[in-house]
Amino acid sequence: MEMVTYFKHITDVSTCYVFKNRLQEYAQKVGLPTPVYETIKEGPSREPMFTSTVIVNDVRYESLPRFFNRKATEQSAAEVALMRLVNSGSMENLFQPVKPQCQI
């Protein structure tokens, strides 16, 4: 499956939280330590905003800014990491097609 098609398919099921799973699978396949997530909570407790960083092989990948929950911001950081790894050529031939994990 072509990478562009692969990520388009993942984006279609992004509410299923597949990015963290795929990043961990990648790390395991290439013998890297498990990705580490650092999440920061900002703002008042009634309206918290989260940002996250994932560290893969000593490289930090920042989430898109400001999510309303921790899980979403960690998924964003994992998605950013995956996209950058794919663009760098580090992930060739490592993925199989994604089977949706929830109903859309």
Side-chain angles (χ1 to χ4, degrees):
M1 175 179 276
E2 185 180 313
M3 284 297 164
V4 173
T5 305
Y6 173 80
F7 277 103
K8 181 183 182 314
H9 184 70
I10 286 181
T11 302
D12 292 342
V13 295
S14 63
T15 57
C16 301
Y17 301 114
V18 298
F19 296 109
K20 282 180 71 175
N21 291 341
R22 287 297 183 181
L23 185 58
Q24 184 163 340
E25 288 172 5
Y26 164 73
Q28 289 173 346
K29 284 182 182 180
V30 299
L32 297 176
T34 302
V36 175
Y37 292 85
E38 297 174 351
T39 302
I40 298 171
K41 178 181 172 184
E42 301 173 313
S45 59
R46 68 183 181 281
E47 292 181 9
M49 299 296 282
F50 297 87
T51 55
S52 198
T53 300
V54 62
I55 303 166
V56 181
N57 200 27
D58 296 325
V59 178
R60 300 172 68 85
Y61 301 95
E62 305 288 327
S63 67
L64 297 176
R66 313 261 178 182
F67 285 85
F68 293 109
N69 66 61
R70 181 187 54 80
K71 285 184 180 182
T73 194
E74 288 178 356
Q75 289 295 324
S76 174
E79 180 181 12
V80 168
L82 285 168
M83 293 300 288
R84 291 202 182 138
L85 289 165
V86 165
N87 289 336
S88 73
S90 299
M91 300 182 75
E92 293 179 19
N93 301 318
L94 287 176
F95 287 119
Q96 298 174 0
V98 176
K99 294 179 183 176
Q101 296 176 356
C102 67
Q103 298 295 324
I104 298 177

